[in-house]
Amino acid sequence: MTGQAGNGIKAAAYLRLSREDGDKAESDSIGGQRSIVREYAKDKGIGIADEFVDDGYTGTDFERPAFKRMMKAIEKHQINCVIVKDLSRFGRDYIEAGR
């Protein structure tokens, strides 16, 4: 990861896919999300401090291992920004995702 940018933003890239992709170690969709998030961060001059990936987990709740680790990092002020491809990757419960 690229660490903290000079602008004080400590961003997390959060990637999620709700279905497993056969015997691949990582789904093609996760790779696509990663590319989109990294390109966006680069264009905006934002450093990615860490990446959190929940591949094969539903977005209907927040009981996901990488999501929980990311929330702990936010609570510890290690992360102050989360970048996702779109809000549905963060969670399907838009009210709770907005919180």
Side-chain angles (χ1 to χ4, degrees), residues 59-77:
T60 58
D61 61 45
F62 295 96
E63 295 301 313
R64 298 173 245 148
F67 183 85
K68 288 180 177 183
R69 283 193 335 273
M70 181 181 69
M71 292 306 294
K72 286 181 182 176
I74 291 169
E75 290 167 5
K76 293 178 181 178
H77 305 284

Side-chain angles (χ1 to χ4, degrees), residues 2-85:
T2 59
Q4 182 175 337
N7 55 13
I9 296 174
K10 298 176 281 186
Y14 182 72
L15 317 170
R16 184 192 63 78
L17 185 68
S18 63
R19 59 178 175 74
E20 295 185 51
D21 193 23
D23 59 354
K24 294 182 181 179
E26 181 177 274
S27 72
D28 293 334
S29 179
I30 291 291
Q33 290 177 50
R34 178 178 289 116
S35 295
I36 290 167
V37 166
R38 285 183 179 174
E39 187 65 30
Y40 175 85
K42 180 181 174 185
D43 287 349
K44 300 297 181 187
I46 299 171
I48 302 292
D50 209 343
E51 180 179 278
F52 300 87
V53 180
D54 282 317
D55 196 356
Y57 287 87
T58 182
T60 58
D61 61 45
F62 295 96
E63 295 301 313
R64 298 173 245 148
F67 183 85
K68 288 180 177 183
R69 283 193 335 273
M70 181 181 69
M71 292 306 294
K72 286 181 182 176
I74 291 169
E75 290 167 5
K76 293 178 181 178
H77 305 284
Q78 297 167 333
I79 300 294
N80 60 14
C81 174
V82 177
I83 303 174
V84 294
K85 175 185 170 270

